[in-house]
Amino acid sequence: MKCRHCQTELTTTFVDLKTSPPSNSFLTADQLDKPEAFYPLHIHVCEECFLVQIDEFKNAHEIFSNDYVYFSSISKSWLAHCKKYSEQMIERFGLDSNNQVVEVASNDGYLLQYFHQQNIPVLGIEPTGNTADAAIAKGIESVKEFFGEEIAHRLKSEGRGADLLIGNNVLAHVPDINDFVKGLKAMLNEEGVITMEFPHLMQLVANNQFDTIYHEHFSYLSLTTVSRIFESFGLQLFDVEEIPTHGGSLRIYGKHAEDSSKEVSNRYEALLEKEKSIGMTTLAYYEGFQGKSDKVKDDLLEFLKTAKAEGKSVVGYGAAAKGNTLLNYCEVGTELIQYVVDASPHKQGKYLPGCHIPVVDESELRQTKPDYILILPWNIKDEIINQLSYTQEWGAEFMVAIPELSKV
């Protein structure tokens, strides 16, 4: 296997989470007895550019199909984050009806709707047909294609170039990161701005977020590595923000390398230096992560088995991709977790891939009154605890497994 950016032969393992089905391949009842495909979750680190990555065992076109179950508008806290972002970008870059805002992986229009409401022209590029249709229903023009250099040149030639080019939680999802960044270069107008948000590898390592590793995430990114990739294709990062989403993410700001209208910020230089100082440009930094992941597995299994032995009931909340990684790696099934609650009607009535735990709506909590609720999307645990505050009526306790097993 070679690095998907610099083609260096990959020989160093970051973590091996064995095998798992694709995290969003939820099952119907009639699929439970049929063969299910499992793929390796073996993550490597490139000793040349330090891109942490998985091999493309599961084709991206299969993962992001027309029946994609993840709709971004489900989370209220995420919508609030996106609304605030739109307001900041409009103010910072003076966007108005004369500008074009383009989002790659625009999902159900969760973000572009806020620019659209301000009469700023928008265009979404989204390969999953059902989420794109939801965006179109909101008045968001959407192109149902995978983004890359070819589509970028075509859209640019049609006058659809971007003054603000957005990609939230997509950079880690692309199998050909080189072609994707070439596309960004081709799509961006002369003095346009790129913003990308993605989980920060530094936070993944520091907070043991191994459950964010799944087949949809082809890459795990540091600022240093992303800077190198962008620079190799004529783009320059000029600013960065550390934001709390997804357990600790970066929002990067990019421009054409030849664009002299934007100064490089001090916080960009400072974060590059911080990554270097903690060793992110050395292989030693990436060693030892396997042991931390294995400890979470051991602790969670011990808790679940003890709870069962004591006659206590445990359920999950949030049929998130990260939860599927956790439960499959820990080999947890319905004998230890009765069901998982999820707010999305697109997941309810189905079963988690691999572990086959049923996904139900929230009414099940009041009926069964579980003793423990394991929050799988720990990154929005405060929102979930507030939403489920009524479970305190019967003394339910909330748990998370990441970064370590604990009550919250």
Side-chain angles (χ1 to χ4, degrees):
M1 176 180 170
K2 292 185 177 181
C3 173
R4 56 174 38 93
H5 170 56
C6 68
Q7 298 303 302
T8 298
E9 195 70 34
L10 297 176
T11 60
T12 303
T13 293
F14 174 57
V15 68
D16 187 355
L17 301 179
K18 308 307 179 185
T19 62
S20 178
S23 58
N24 277 315
S25 57
F26 288 76
L27 304 173
T28 59
D30 61 358
Q31 292 176 311
L32 293 177
D33 295 326
K34 297 179 180 178
E36 191 174 2
F38 282 64
Y39 300 88
L41 274 180
H42 188 169
I43 311 301
H44 302 267
V45 57
C46 177
E47 62 185 42
E48 178 63 31
C49 68
F50 299 99
L51 178 63
V52 175
Q53 57 201 280
I54 187 174
D55 201 0
E56 189 185 358
F57 291 101
K58 180 67 172 172
N59 187 279
H61 287 75
E62 297 176 56
I63 294 174
F64 303 104
S65 66
N66 284 328
D67 191 27
Y68 193 55
V69 298
Y70 182 74
F71 283 69
S72 297
S73 293
I74 291 295
S75 171
K76 294 179 181 178
S77 60
W78 179 242
L79 288 178
H81 167 79
C82 294
K83 187 174 189 296
K84 181 179 179 181
Y85 163 85
S86 69
E87 293 167 350
Q88 290 174 331
M89 295 306 104
I90 290 170
E91 180 178 357
R92 178 171 179 175
F93 299 113
L95 301 175
D96 57 28
S97 60
N98 295 311
N99 297 111
Q100 174 84 34
V101 176
V102 178
E103 183 182 12
V104 180
S106 48
N107 200 265
D108 60 2
Y110 72 102
L111 172 59
L112 289 180
Q113 62 183 334
Y114 298 115
F115 291 98
H116 181 62
Q117 289 167 9
Q118 299 302 316
N119 298 314
I120 297 173
V122 298
L123 175 66
I125 303 172
E126 171 56 56
T128 62
N130 57 335
T131 59
D133 288 340
I136 292 169
K138 298 174 182 175
I140 308 300
E141 183 182 357
S142 301
V143 177
K144 299 179 186 179
E145 295 187 54
F146 280 90
F147 182 77
E149 186 178 17
E150 181 180 352
I151 184 178
H153 280 298
R154 187 177 79 239
L155 291 171
K156 186 72 172 294
S157 70
E158 296 171 357
R160 310 304 300 276
D163 296 303
L164 176 63
L165 182 53
I166 306 167
N168 282 349
N169 302 306
V170 62
L171 192 58
H173 289 68
V174 294
D176 190 343
I177 197 166
N178 289 347
D179 178 67
F180 184 86
V181 177
K182 288 178 184 177
L184 298 178
K185 172 72 173 176
M187 191 79 190
L188 191 65
N189 287 338
E190 186 175 346
E191 292 190 354
V193 173
I194 297 167
T195 73
M196 296 263 138
E197 294 181 13
F198 52 84
H200 192 189
L201 179 60
M202 184 178 75
Q203 297 297 336
L204 186 154
V205 173
N207 296 305
N208 196 21
Q209 297 167 354
F210 73 89
D211 60 337
T212 62
I213 294 171
Y214 40 91
H215 299 102
E216 288 180 31
H217 285 171
F218 294 99
S219 303
Y220 303 85
L221 303 163
S222 66
L223 180 63
T224 301
T225 296
V226 171
S227 297
R228 291 177 178 177
I229 295 172
F230 273 52
E231 287 171 4
S232 66
F233 298 111
L235 293 169
Q236 181 183 3
L237 301 188
F238 65 91
D239 198 3
V240 64
E241 295 176 63
E242 294 180 89
I243 56 178
T245 56
H246 297 285
S249 296
L250 296 183
R251 177 187 293 153
I252 58 170
Y253 294 77
K255 64 184 181 68
H256 289 295
E258 56 272 22
D259 177 6
S260 60
S261 66
K262 302 168 186 67
E263 294 184 0
V264 176
S265 74
N266 290 333
R267 58 185 176 184
Y268 168 71
E269 300 287 0
L271 187 52
L272 282 178
E273 182 57 37
K274 181 178 180 179
E275 288 189 349
K276 182 179 179 180
S277 69
I278 64 174
M280 293 189 78
T281 54
T282 66
L283 285 179
Y285 177 84
Y286 303 91
E287 297 172 352
F289 194 71
Q290 184 75 54
K292 294 166 66 177
S293 304
D294 290 344
K295 186 177 188 309
V296 168
K297 176 179 181 178
D298 294 341
D299 291 348
L300 179 59
L301 283 173
E302 181 180 358
F303 161 71
L304 293 173
K305 290 175 180 178
T306 299
K308 182 178 180 180
E310 294 175 349
K312 302 287 188 179
S313 57
V314 183
V315 304
Y317 189 95
K322 55 171 56 72
N324 290 334
T325 292
L326 175 71
L327 297 177
N328 279 296
Y329 182 56
C330 295
E331 300 178 325
V332 172
T334 53
E335 75 284 357
L336 295 176
I337 291 182
Q338 296 177 3
Y339 57 80
V340 171
V341 174
D342 197 272
S344 173
H346 305 283
K347 298 179 182 180
Q348 294 165 4
K350 295 184 178 181
Y351 297 79
L352 300 185
C355 57
H356 294 183
I357 298 173
V359 183
V360 301
D361 68 33
E362 193 178 314
S363 63
E364 196 73 17
L365 290 175
R366 289 192 181 276
Q367 294 180 31
T368 62
K369 294 181 170 57
D371 298 294
Y372 297 101
I373 300 172
L374 178 65
I375 299 175
L376 298 172
W378 42 261
N379 52 302
I380 56 171
K381 65 179 183 295
D382 292 339
E383 176 184 341
I384 292 169
I385 290 171
N386 181 62
Q387 177 184 330
L388 304 183
S389 60
Y390 61 85
T391 61
Q392 301 309 296
E393 296 171 7
W394 63 84
E397 295 187 273
F398 294 101
M399 308 287 295
V400 294
I402 303 294
E404 60 185 5
L405 186 70
S406 61
K407 293 180 182 179
V408 290

